[in-house]
Amino acid sequence: MRVFENWDTSLKIPSMFLLMMSMALIRDQYLISLLPCVAAILFIASGLPLSLLLSRFRAPIVFLLFVSVFLVLFSEGDALVRIGPVVLKSQGAILALNTCVRVLSVITVGIVMIYTTPLSGLSGKLKRMLIPHILVDIGIMTGRYIMVIGEDYNKMKTARKLRGYMPGKSMARRFGVIVPTAATLLIKGFQQSERVFNAMRMRGYGSSAAGEARSYALERPSISSFLMFLATVTVSVLLIVLEVTVETA
Amino acid sequence: MHIPDGMLPGEICAAGYAGTAALTWLCIKKARSSTEDPARIVSRASVMAAAFFVVSWVHIPLPPVSVHPVLAGLMGILLGWISFPAILVGLFFQAAMFGHGGFTTLGVNALSMGGAALLAWAVYRLLNRKSGERAILISGFVAGFAGVSLAVIFTGSVLILTIPAHIDAGTEISAILAMAAAHLPLALAEGVFTALVARFLLRVKPDMLL
């Protein structure tokens, strides 16, 4: 949905990040049940495809599986099920369920944040958010060169296959193939970094950074962006207040 | 080895970001003291971070499966102080593109991997005082092995000690040790990989090694 894409990045990223942090803070099981609702509302409003969400869940689900098994087996508390010498604990099962719900909810908000943020003008807006200029520049250029070096890697793989240079089954032969491939990619990267350095110096990198930051600082967010920022911050603060209240009670 | 979003309490995530901010500042300051030009730091960190990102797609054979290299040790060897900000940026892209790790846990993950890279670099420099292939093979292996092992121990400790379950101390220590033992084959494979890549670079482009 265009609403999320039009939401000013310099307001969207801090407010959604605060929301993710406040969701990560929640430990009370009743409050945890609110988290999927918040995540679902944001995801539906973003208009992102469900397939994207499911594909992004693959890596954390493996991780969550290991954590859940650990919690169910090693937590102290009452036995839920006994299978021979193995005892599954009820407290561990509840904790594992809470952890899974919280993790998947926070990840969903993260996906909405990252996939609805347009890349154009991102560099200036991140600098305006007090992120160090040098780190923003590294990030923007890394994103650009992942594509360039990734393409080099694919060409090398194709050339290797065409020449019949296959890894084989033995460990020594496999290392004999992957080590030169990896090292050659690193050398290409190093040489590319030298060319980039020369180009940056020629363009006077560093001297115009302050002026660039000032020009971005003059931009004003729209009222709708500000209202969405306010709503997200309110939900985040409310979650934190509820968690603290429940914890102290 | 990357902790996903929502796994750690908010205060630990905030502490991770504070630690990462401090270490990033220190690393950039140290890198700038050796090279005055910020363009050198930006170009080297960004292009090499991209190269490492792509190299992490190469599979290391670990029968009966194959795994992605972690590359913390190798990044330490080749980038030195810049390895920390490069890993920080690399972890951000892994979280954004593949869902490995997370945004709230980015600070903790960066401390784990980036800290391991810096320590692996220190170990490499300590062992690689003599020149020659034998020295680079030994120091490269130890750096690669240390990079994975330190990251696993840090990540395991943070995870197990922050889980709000009632787990006794003995079980917690056993779990951390079990996690480290489970990653031992990966650490050994990474050590061999790092040693061989370092030797290749010594033969072909020795000026890349710090």
Side-chain angles (χ1 to χ4, degrees), chain A:
Chain A
M1 201 180 272
R2 303 299 299 172
V3 176
F4 273 83
E5 283 167 21
N6 293 337
W7 188 0
D8 192 291
T9 308
S10 50
L11 291 178
K12 178 165 68 176
I13 291 181
S15 58
M16 290 194 81
F17 191 77
L18 178 68
L19 181 64
M20 289 167 76
M21 289 294 254
S22 63
M23 287 168 85
L25 204 75
I26 305 297
R27 288 292 176 272
D28 180 75
Q29 69 182 86
Y30 296 106
L31 287 177
I32 283 177
S33 59
L34 288 175
L35 304 184
C37 304
V38 174
I41 290 168
L42 283 172
F43 186 77
I44 292 165
S46 73
L48 291 169
L50 189 64
S51 56
L52 173 77
L53 187 69
L54 297 177
S55 69
R56 287 291 169 270
F57 277 173
R58 260 182 234 145
I61 276 179
V62 175
F63 190 92
L64 284 171
L65 203 68
F66 282 108
V67 173
S68 300
V69 168
F70 176 76
L71 287 172
V72 171
L73 288 178
F74 297 109
S75 286
E76 286 174 355
D78 307 327
L80 181 70
V81 184
R82 282 178 195 273
I83 310 164
V86 180
V87 183
L88 308 182
K89 310 283 174 47
S90 58
Q91 278 90 335
I94 293 168
L95 195 60
L97 185 69
N98 287 346
T99 306
C100 292
V101 170
R102 191 180 52 242
V103 167
L104 297 179
S105 302
V106 181
I107 289 173
T108 305
V109 177
I111 289 166
V112 172
M113 179 181 79
I114 211 78
Y115 282 94
T116 58
T117 302
L119 287 173
S120 61
L122 187 63
S123 146
K125 284 170 182 171
L126 288 175
K127 284 173 185 173
R128 194 178 143 193
M129 286 160 51
L130 300 177
I131 297 174
H133 290 203
I134 202 161
L135 215 53
V136 174
D137 291 336
I138 292 172
I140 297 291
M141 284 181 63
T142 302
R144 199 172 298 160
Y145 281 97
I146 284 173
M147 305 301 163
V148 175
I149 297 172
E151 228 166 80
D152 279 349
Y153 174 54
N154 286 332
K155 279 181 197 163
M156 281 170 72
K157 272 203 307 192
T158 310
R160 205 172 64 191
K161 274 184 194 166
L162 285 171
R163 287 166 190 163
Y165 200 50
M166 300 300 281
K169 281 187 179 172
S170 80
M171 280 269 279
R173 176 121 177 93
R174 284 192 193 184
F175 270 109
V177 173
I178 61 163
V179 167
T181 306
T184 308
L185 274 175
L186 293 175
I187 292 170
K188 280 185 173 205
F190 183 81
Q191 289 168 338
Q192 180 97 45
S193 79
E194 289 300 306
R195 289 194 292 274
V196 171
F197 167 64
N198 290 329
M200 286 169 82
R201 282 193 71 182
M202 294 280 280
R203 287 167 190 167
Y205 174 83
S207 57
S208 62
E212 194 185 345
R214 271 199 300 276
S215 68
Y216 279 110
L218 292 173
E219 281 180 24
R220 276 195 181 172
S222 64
I223 293 173
S224 61
S225 284
F226 188 72
L227 287 175
M228 285 174 78
F229 168 79
L230 212 62
T232 314
V233 170
T234 308
V235 171
S236 312
V237 173
L238 204 66
L239 281 173
I240 296 170
V241 170
L242 283 172
E243 172 66 19
V244 173
T245 313
V246 169
E247 211 172 277
T248 46

Side-chain angles (χ1 to χ4, degrees), chain B residues 155-195:
Chain B
T155 306
S157 305
V158 169
L159 261 180
I160 289 162
L161 297 176
T162 56
I163 286 177
H166 299 289
I167 298 167
D168 65 85
T171 311
E172 283 181 343
I173 293 167
S174 306
I176 295 169
L177 291 176
M179 200 169 161
H183 282 85
L184 193 65
L186 172 64
L188 288 169
E190 180 97 13
V192 173
F193 179 74
T194 307

Side-chain angles (χ1 to χ4, degrees), chain B:
Chain B
M1 228 186 302
H2 301 355
I3 304 173
D5 276 323
M7 198 67 224
L8 299 176
E11 53 269 34
I12 301 290
C13 297
Y17 266 103
T20 295
L23 210 49
T24 306
W25 173 81
L26 177 76
C27 289
I28 290 175
K29 194 182 168 205
K30 288 276 185 189
R32 284 188 93 155
S33 65
S34 57
T35 167
E36 288 298 311
D37 202 330
R40 169 77 71 190
I41 299 171
V42 173
S43 60
R44 181 68 55 85
S46 53
V47 183
M48 289 305 281
F52 275 106
F53 194 88
V54 174
V55 171
S56 72
W57 300 345
V58 176
H59 289 253
I60 296 183
L62 193 65
V65 292
S66 63
V67 291
H68 293 290
V70 177
L71 299 171
L74 195 58
M75 284 187 92
I77 292 175
L78 297 183
L79 298 179
W81 288 111
I82 310 173
S83 62
F84 192 86
I87 284 176
L88 175 63
V89 169
L91 286 172
F92 174 81
F93 278 100
Q94 281 190 335
M97 291 169 77
F98 306 117
H100 292 180
F103 301 111
T104 56
T105 52
L106 184 64
V108 175
N109 285 333
L111 279 181
S112 162
M113 312 284 271
L118 290 176
L119 288 171
W121 177 46
V123 171
Y124 165 80
R125 286 181 70 177
L126 201 72
L127 295 175
N128 194 33
R129 286 187 174 154
K130 288 178 188 172
S131 58
E133 287 198 0
R134 192 184 156 87
I136 200 105
L137 278 174
I138 293 169
S139 53
F141 175 81
V142 175
F145 183 84
V148 174
S149 307
L150 291 168
V152 166
I153 290 169
F154 183 88
T155 306
S157 305
V158 169
L159 261 180
I160 289 162
L161 297 176
T162 56
I163 286 177
H166 299 289
I167 298 167
D168 65 85
T171 311
E172 283 181 343
I173 293 167
S174 306
I176 295 169
L177 291 176
M179 200 169 161
H183 282 85
L184 193 65
L186 172 64
L188 288 169
E190 180 97 13
V192 173
F193 179 74
T194 307
L196 294 175
V197 170
R199 187 182 66 174
F200 186 99
L201 295 175
L202 181 74
R203 287 176 181 171
V204 178
K205 197 150 178 61
D207 54 319
M208 273 179 77
L209 297 163
L210 291 176

